[in-house]
């Protein structure tokens, strides 16, 4: 690789130049046709120009891109990168020793003075940290961020992971520095899990978690209108009690609902509509059967790249149901089915831990029929669109954030190495001559 | 046809050979109408409904003909107490879980639905479990295998809710209860009654608050609306007679308690479920107007279920109670015809009375007898063909129709088994190979 300084070098705050020009490269814009030998100019963290005949401004660092490919930076559409390790499930009130009996004759039930607990229902806001924001939690020095960036990821849409109302996601650029510098947009949505809390704490079942979420959204609508009335004129009205759980819900521009099997996808499409908020589904292992449902509903899907597979540790004598076998067989064909039907979708890292394995998982979807450029969009532009960030992220277009990565071959080929990554126009070079997709 | 698509298709598709809208005639059948006698004849199906039934019917020339070959046709079986087809049954963490509803967790692809079909069941009351004094809302489904969740719900069925008395709701937890170390209320039958009273007292207050708000808001007063409470809304519907109560119970004393509480609050118990001691208080059940949905001869699995007799159904029936037999179990659900037959041995019911326990009686209990429960003109064409009399141990379901569509065909099921088994073997081998380590890892091979 040739790095040539053209004229005077302007240095940015971090000591790197403010202007870069990558010339003679194959440029995959994601928003338009591939430019076979083009130039892309990056200035002050933004893309200044892209094209076959783009001018190289004076003072730019030029990079000879001959033989190289330039792609928009990859986006992990639902990520935990950069967050502290998951703590125990949060409780909105301390799950401490039994409190004074709330009912049932003062608890003086026996000589041992048995005291009952009623865990309450939705009103206690269990398993709810809706007010948390990933932007406030991110640890910029998390090695996971560097590892992801070395593999071509420039943005992660990070969500707090724990609880039913887990909290609010933030789109974070993986350039390090101060946490605030990383934030592209926050909040971008509320992460809902419908998880259960066992037999003694509400909700203990899917019945309860769905009912809980429904009640919270009704409460949020009520809270909003009550606060508006009170703000307008408090005289003569009882003050609505402050509720941080509802504040968090009302702050979120959309919600993410879990849906893997077709039954769940159909169920969550109905439920999302009922909640009267914009929503996105995540999971999608049975998306190959659900393209029609999603298309008809116009609902986007985030697809977990952890494809279902037989557990290596499973008993060799266990024979799975035909349904389970078919899900494993067909899950990687889901993205192709969605692309064909015109359903918007994006990929997320899910349970895939190593960044190199993520692109290998994408390759499986491509092998199952997904076009290479559709796969790229599912990790760039379409991820940005789903979060309403395609005005600044996801493609190589003038004026957008200069997030991109440069490789020495097709992004999904096993031997391709990532040569450079730009985040907010800042250049990073993976160590040891570039990270390949090969075994890490 | 692509083999994979073919397989996918028959995994989950209804047998659409007899689509609604066409005219179908089942002829040469021994017809057990349950309500209008039994005779050799034919059934004419149009637009999913029974258009005509009798010794002869007037069929158009292009009607599809199914020759029953002298076999028996009865109305689809109705199970008034089941937990199949749902991904969750109990929300047992709270004393009142009326904010939950089975409609939220219906799984139309649960294999239990297909197996119920194969046992001649076409309709079932899918109830919340019995962990709490007041449980969640139920749904009535038809076994429309291959359809989506909203499509398997029986249209227009009156909504309902589960109550439960006795040992299940009063399990207080703690120690080695299996409920974890925490204690929950109630711990006694007195507490169960208290929970129900308190909940309906709250429901009355809730209704009053909304009535007050609406009255004052209508006069133009500036008010913040009350908060909607999904726990109390279904109870208000019970008070208004818009939602049926299906109450799990065993002992005579608790049955009387519930009837008294309901009378006091001015609502009706629609069905008593299990009700193993119902024979002791049949007169009181009859006076309240409750139905009874019981087992034929399943008891002694816990203390409150010991004082039971196999004559229970027949005795309650003879006292004028509307009685049905239910399964509460995915396996028993597949031979409710045999459960019904036991009432002939124990209680001396007639064939028709026995069949009514699993057809028209549960239909009446669920207030869906305008649609299902007997073979009559105007009702849904929900029909089962058995090779022998359905009250025989040897009878096997041959074909099942819902809304005139054939959803189960024994011959087809048998013939598809080899193809499915082969596909299963093929995928199992493929996925085992994929899960095996590609090469020995540096640290040595994993034990095989």
């Amino acid at each position: 690789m040739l790095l040539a300084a053209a004229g005077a070098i302007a240095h940015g705050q971090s000591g790197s130049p403010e202007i870069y020009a990558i010339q003679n490269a194959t440029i995959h814009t994601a928003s338009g046709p591939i430019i076979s030998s083009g130039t892309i100019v990056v200035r002050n963290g933004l893309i200044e120009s892209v094209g076959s005949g783009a001018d190289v401004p004076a003072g730019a660092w030029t990079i000879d891109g001959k033989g190289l490919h330039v792609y928009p930076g990859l986006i992990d559409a639902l990520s935990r990168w950069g967050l502290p390790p998951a703590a125990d499930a949060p409780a909105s009130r301390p799950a401490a020793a039994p409190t004074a009996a709330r009912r049932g004759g003062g608890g003086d039930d026996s000589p041992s003075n048995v005291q009952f607990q009623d865990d309450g229902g939705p009103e206690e806001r269990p398993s709810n940290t809706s007010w948390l924001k990933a932007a406030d939690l991110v640890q910029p020095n998390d090695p996971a961020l560097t590892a992801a960036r070395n593999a071509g990821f420039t943005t992660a849409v990070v969500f707090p992971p724990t609880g039913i109302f887990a909290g609010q996601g933030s789109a974070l650029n993986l350039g390090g520095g101060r946490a605030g510098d990383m934030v592209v947009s926050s909040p971008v949505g509320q992460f809902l899990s419908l998880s259960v809390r066992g037999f003694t704490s509400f909700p203990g079942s899917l019945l309860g978690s769905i009912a809980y979420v429904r009640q919270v959204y009704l409460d949020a609508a009520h809270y909003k209108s009550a606060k508006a009335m009170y703000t307008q004129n408090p005289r003569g009205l009882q003050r609505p009690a402050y509720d941080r759980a509802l504040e968090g819900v009302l702050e979120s521009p959309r919600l993410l609902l879990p849906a893997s099997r077709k039954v769940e996808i159909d169920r969550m499409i109905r439920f999302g509509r009922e909640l009267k908020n914009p929503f996105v589904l995540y999971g999608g292992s049975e998306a190959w059967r659900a393209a029609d449902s999603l298309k008809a509903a116009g609902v986007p899907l985030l697809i977990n790249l952890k494809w279902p597979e037989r557990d290596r540790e499973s008993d060799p004598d266990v024979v799975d149901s035909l349904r389970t076998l078919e899900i494993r067989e067909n899950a990687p064909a889901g993205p192709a089915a969605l692309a064909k039907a015109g359903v918007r979708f994006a990929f997320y890292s899910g349970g895939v831990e190593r960044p190199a394995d993520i692109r290998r998982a994408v390759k499986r979807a491509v092998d199952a029929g997904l076009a290479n450029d559709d796969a790229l969009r599912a990790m760039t532009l379409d991820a940005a669109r789903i979060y309403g960030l395609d005005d600044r992220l996801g493609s190589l277009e003038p004026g957008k954030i200069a997030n991109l990565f440069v490789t020495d071959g097709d992004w999904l080929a096993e031997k391709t190495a990532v040569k450079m990554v730009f985040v907010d126009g800042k250049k990073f070079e993976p160590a040891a001559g570039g990270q390949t997709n090969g075994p890490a | 046809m692509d083999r994979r698509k073919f397989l996918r298709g028959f995994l989950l598709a209804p047998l659409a050979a007899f689509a609604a809208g066409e005219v179908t005639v089942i002829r040469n059948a021994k017809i057990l109408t349950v309500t209008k006698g039994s005779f050799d004849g034919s059934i004419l199906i149009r637009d999913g409904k029974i258009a005509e039934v009798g010794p002869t019917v007037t069929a158009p020339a292009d009607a599809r003909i199914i020759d029953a070959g002298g076999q028996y046709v009865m109305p689809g079986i109705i199970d008034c107490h089941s937990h199949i087809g749902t991904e969750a049954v109990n929300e047992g963490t709270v004393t009142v879980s009326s904010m939950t509803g089975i409609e939220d967790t219906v799984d139309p692809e649960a294999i239990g639905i297909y197996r119920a079909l194969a046992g001649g069941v076409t309709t079932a009351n899918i109830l919340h479990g019995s962990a709490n004094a007041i449980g969640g809302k139920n749904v009535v489904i038809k076994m429309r295998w291959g359809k989506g969740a909203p499509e398997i719900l029986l249209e227009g069925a009156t909504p309902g809710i589960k109550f439960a008395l006795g040992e299940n709701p009063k399990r207080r937890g703690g120690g080695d209860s299996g409920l974890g170390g925490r204690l929950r209320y109630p711990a006694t039958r007195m507490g169960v009654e208290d929970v129900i009273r308190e909940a309906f007292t709250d429901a009355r207050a809730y209704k009053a608050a909304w009535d007050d708000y609406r009255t004052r808001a209508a006069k133009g007063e500036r008010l913040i609306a009350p908060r909607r409470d999904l726990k109390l809304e279904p109870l208000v519907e019970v008070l208004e007679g818009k939602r049926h109560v299906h109450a799990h119970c065993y002992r005579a004393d608790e049955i009387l308690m519930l009837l008294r509480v309901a009378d006091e609050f001015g609502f009706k118990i629609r069905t008593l479920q299990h009700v193993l001691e119902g024979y002791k208080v049949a007169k009181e059940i009859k006076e309240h107007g409750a139905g009874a949905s019981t087992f034929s001869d399943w008891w002694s699995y816990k203390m409150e279920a010991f004082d039971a007799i196999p004559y229970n159904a027949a005795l309650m029936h003879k006292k004028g109670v509307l009685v049905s037999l239910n399964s509460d179990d995915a396996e028993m659900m597949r031979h409710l015809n045999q459960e019904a037959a036991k009432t002939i041995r124990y209680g001396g019911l007639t064939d028709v009375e026995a069949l009514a326990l699993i057809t028209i009686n549960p239909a009446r209990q669920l207030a869906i007898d305008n649609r299902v429960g007997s073979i009559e003109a105007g009702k849904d064409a929900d029909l089962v063909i058995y090779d022998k009399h359905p009250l025989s141990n040897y009878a096997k379901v041959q074909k099942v129709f819902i809304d005139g569509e054939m959803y189960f065909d024994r011959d087809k099921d048998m013939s598809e088994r080899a193809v499915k088994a082969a596909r299963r073997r093929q995928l199992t081998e493929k996925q085992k190979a994929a899960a095996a380590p590609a090469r020995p890892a540096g640290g040595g091979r994993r034990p095989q």
Side-chain angles (χ1 to χ4, degrees), chain A residues 200 205 222 233 289 323, chain B residues 91 104 109 179 182 222 225:
Chain A
T200 52
S205 70
H222 179 258
N233 181 4
R289 289 182 58 212
R323 185 175 292 164
Chain B
E91 178 57 51
D104 288 336
E109 298 183 358
L179 301 181
R182 307 178 69 171
R222 185 169 167 269

Side-chain angles (χ1 to χ4, degrees), chain A residues 44 59 107 159 189 239 299 345 347 367 369 378 383 386:
Chain A
N44 292 336
F159 287 84
R239 181 178 78 255
V299 171
F345 65 96
F347 290 125
D367 291 343
I386 286 171

